[in-house]
Amino acid sequence: ANDFNLPQMGCPAGTYNELAALFFTGQENAIRSLYHTEYNFSYSSLVIFLTFYFILMFLTFGIAIPGGIFIPSILLGAAYGRIVGQGFNTIWPASIT
């Protein structure tokens, strides 16, 4: 399912690139794709995205231009929550439905 027009970046039809789906779609679509369970993200993709985006947010937070902090904070929380949720689903797969 490609409801949010996730970028394929050279992938076969009907599939998507995990990192491109997070980095190259826009913050709102990235948040939606992190909240929906129909999209699969590996731990490595989520950790790379979380680390890189945190560094970028940290660097841009203190500069004197309006860059926004609310939506990036939600996006970081969604990525961290997805990591934690997938971890719980890995440890106790039968308890999460």
Side-chain angles (χ1 to χ4, degrees):
N2 202 351
D3 297 337
F4 306 123
N5 296 323
L6 298 178
Q8 290 182 297
M9 301 293 249
C11 296
T15 62
Y16 58 95
N17 185 314
E18 292 179 10
L19 283 175
L22 295 173
F23 279 113
F24 298 125
T25 58
Q27 296 174 340
E28 291 82 9
N29 282 341
I31 291 169
R32 271 190 242 133
S33 65
L34 285 169
Y35 284 147
H36 286 37
T37 58
E38 64 199 38
Y39 299 106
N40 297 318
F41 294 102
S42 64
Y43 289 111
S44 59
S45 293
L46 291 169
V47 169
I48 289 169
F49 176 74
L50 182 72
T51 304
F52 188 73
Y53 211 81
F54 178 77
I55 291 169
L56 287 177
M57 192 177 89
F58 179 77
L59 291 174
T60 59
F61 182 64
I63 59 177
I65 60 170
I69 194 70
F70 186 68
I71 297 296
S73 296
I74 292 174
L75 186 54
L76 285 175
Y80 181 72
R82 182 69 179 241
I83 293 170
V84 171
Q86 284 185 191
F88 279 125
N89 195 24
T90 301
I91 295 169
W92 298 291
S95 65
I96 299 175
T97 56

